[in-house]
Amino acid sequence: MSGRRLPRLAHMSGPSAAVERLQPFGATIFAEMTALALERGAVNLGQGFPDWDGPAAMLEVARGQISTGNNQYPPVRGAAELRQAICEDRARNFDVEYDPGTEALVTTGATEAIAATILGLVEPGSEVILIEPYYDSYAAAVALAGSTRVTVPLVPDGTGFALDVDALRSAVSEKTAMIVVNSPHNPTGTIFGLAELSAIAELAVERDLLVLADEVYERLTFGLVHIPIATLPGMASRTVTVSSAGKTFNVTGWKVGWALASQTLLDGVLAAKQFLTFSGGAPFQPAVAHALRHEQAWVTDLVADLQRKRDLLTHALEGAGLSPFRTEGTYFVCARVDQDALSYCRALPASRGVAAIPVTVFTDHPEPWREIVRFAFCKTDEVLAEGIRRLT
Ligand SMILES: *Cc1c(COP(=O)(O)O)cnc(C)c1O
């Protein structure tokens, strides 16, 4: 259960001068697969970013901001209009209130919010529980904080994956400080329902744990509703919720994210964040505020589009003789390939002209995931159709 093994993220070209606690985190599999994809002219269904633009009016606001001189440091907490828009958006979508003055913090992507939450709130020597497979930055942030990760696996539930609540309960020790909960979940597309979230929440209350809720895919759900764990009983005061404009508005390169929490917790996040970047993305912040306020219809269309792409890719994977799992949100569908996933993914760019990611790279305990591959469907219809043509 404990995560003392090295993650399978390291594919380094040579020795690195990195400090010991960062030695396990070499160049990621994404770099290797993207290089292979480029070399082979493969369709890249490995990396999870959309290859088309976000709402035109939002892009126009950013251009206007640059032209009219919004190019210096924004406030450390982020532009007031963006914090206001974030809190209004949360209230509208999930019926939960945050004070934009004290309970919302704009960050350099969700990635900084995650790092600042762990660095600012978890003491060295504590344990942080990650649900595997997990997003790679969690493990690195835990290592940077001098704490230890303990992993609990998702388990197959027939057509998809579910949380092993008993395993989670037994993973909590005297040293546990925090549980990281990512729903909708990258890489499996699992959305935790009320039962699973309630089980996590009850455990957090009972054992007095913090929860870091990574909700960057909060809007990218196909039918099921996303429930923020912060809205469950006892959770408002112990949850830091993290999200980002990148996935909602097709601007992963803008790196405008945020953290929402009670003032006490958020002050801890802010204490770390101010010395990581202080602030950033000045011209993009008003553009994201615009999008949160005026581009809800665009997001609705995006979600319908992604759902259609999910169906296309899932169907194609079946047609290619693979066994895709159910995916309820995000950009991804996982499939069983009936052979070693890492070798499969290393060979795929040459054999089929497609790149994908073995799920084992997101785990400390790869065995149950040995034959599972993640494919991204957040690609234009042309790119996706070409990928599908090559796979089938
Ligand atoms: C993309 C992603 C992030 C990072 O978000 P940024 O805003 O690009 O920093 C964090 N968590 C998950 C699960 C993601 O997929």
Side-chain angles (χ1 to χ4, degrees):
M1 195 66 60
S2 105
R4 286 189 186 80
R5 294 183 50 153
L6 305 185
R8 299 298 189 86
L9 297 171
H11 296 276
M12 306 194 63
S13 49
S16 147
V19 292
E20 204 179 313
R21 65 191 184 285
L22 287 179
Q23 281 290 336
F25 307 96
T28 70
I29 186 83
F30 300 100
E32 179 186 343
M33 291 304 162
T34 297
L36 268 179
L38 280 174
E39 190 181 303
R40 298 287 179 168
V43 175
N44 195 345
L45 304 183
Q47 277 195 318
F49 60 84
D51 58 355
W52 73 99
D53 266 331
M58 174 190 74
L59 305 179
E60 197 47 51
V61 173
R63 274 191 288 270
Q65 290 290 318
I66 292 172
S67 312
T68 55
N70 186 7
N71 299 306
Q72 310 308 326
Y73 299 127
V76 64
R77 286 178 188 266
E81 79 174 298
L82 176 55
R83 282 181 281 127
Q84 185 79 40
I86 291 165
C87 294
E88 283 167 14
D89 183 70
R90 273 266 141 181
R92 186 172 52 234
N93 294 327
F94 305 115
D95 197 22
V96 53
E97 300 290 333
Y98 288 96
D99 177 347
T102 56
E103 298 179 327
L105 177 66
V106 177
T107 55
T108 303
T111 306
E112 188 193 31
I114 291 162
T117 298
I118 295 172
L119 288 167
L121 297 174
V122 177
E123 294 288 358
S126 309
E127 291 176 350
V128 176
I129 296 180
L130 307 182
I131 295 165
E132 73 179 355
Y134 58 79
Y135 187 66
D136 55 1
S137 89
Y138 308 155
V142 169
L144 281 171
S147 35
T148 305
R149 68 178 183 280
V150 173
T151 64
V152 172
L154 288 179
V155 289
D157 76 346
T159 57
F161 298 96
L163 180 67
D164 185 342
V165 173
D166 293 333
L168 179 64
R169 190 163 273 284
S170 33
V172 176
S173 80
E174 287 308 308
K175 289 187 179 167
T176 309
M178 178 182 277
I179 307 175
V180 181
V181 179
N182 171 217
S183 176
H185 181 257
N186 174 6
T188 64
T190 304
I191 296 182
F192 289 152
L194 189 58
E196 283 160 315
L197 293 172
S198 299
I200 300 170
E202 278 160 24
L203 187 60
V205 170
E206 180 187 316
R207 303 296 298 264
D208 194 21
L209 308 176
L210 299 176
V211 167
L212 165 52
D214 178 347
E215 302 185 356
V216 298
Y217 297 102
E218 60 181 86
R219 301 298 301 279
L220 309 188
T221 65
F222 314 135
L224 288 186
V225 260
H226 166 64
I227 305 170
I229 193 168
T231 60
L232 298 188
M235 295 307 290
S237 61
R238 60 180 71 251
T239 305
V240 178
T241 303
V242 165
S243 194
S244 165
K247 307 288 162 60
T248 304
F249 299 112
N250 279 15
V251 283
T252 59
W254 281 13
K255 283 289 188 175
V256 176
W258 48 87
L260 298 166
S262 69
Q263 182 171 359
T264 315
L265 288 185
L266 201 70
D267 283 353
V269 182
L270 176 62
K273 184 264 187 299
Q274 66 184 332
F275 299 119
L276 291 174
T277 58
F278 187 76
S279 65
F284 303 116
Q285 293 195 18
V288 171
H290 162 89
L292 288 168
R293 288 194 164 133
H294 303 293
E295 301 291 354
Q296 298 300 318
W298 185 91
V299 175
T300 304
D301 289 348
L302 171 71
V303 173
D305 235 25
L306 286 172
Q307 181 163 355
R308 184 176 51 79
K309 291 172 195 289
R310 172 203 64 176
D311 293 344
L312 282 173
L313 184 58
T314 301
H315 191 72
L317 293 171
E318 271 162 8
L322 310 182
S323 312
F325 292 91
R326 181 181 86 236
T327 185
E328 293 153 342
T330 76
Y331 289 159
F332 309 108
V333 57
C334 288
R336 190 176 290 285
V337 296
D338 293 325
Q339 56 179 290
D340 182 77
L342 184 58
S343 334
Y344 175 90
C345 289
R346 285 197 167 128
L348 199 62
S351 66
R352 294 290 183 131
V354 172
I357 301 289
V359 170
T360 45
V361 302
F362 303 102
T363 68
D364 293 348
H365 305 90
E367 201 44 47
W369 308 93
R370 175 89 48 216
E371 299 188 337
I372 300 179
V373 170
R374 187 192 82 172
F375 296 87
F377 51 79
C378 51
K379 303 296 165 185
T380 58
D381 284 348
E382 296 69 42
V383 171
L384 192 60
E386 180 58 21
I388 286 172
R389 195 187 63 74
R390 291 177 181 199
L391 278 170
T392 49

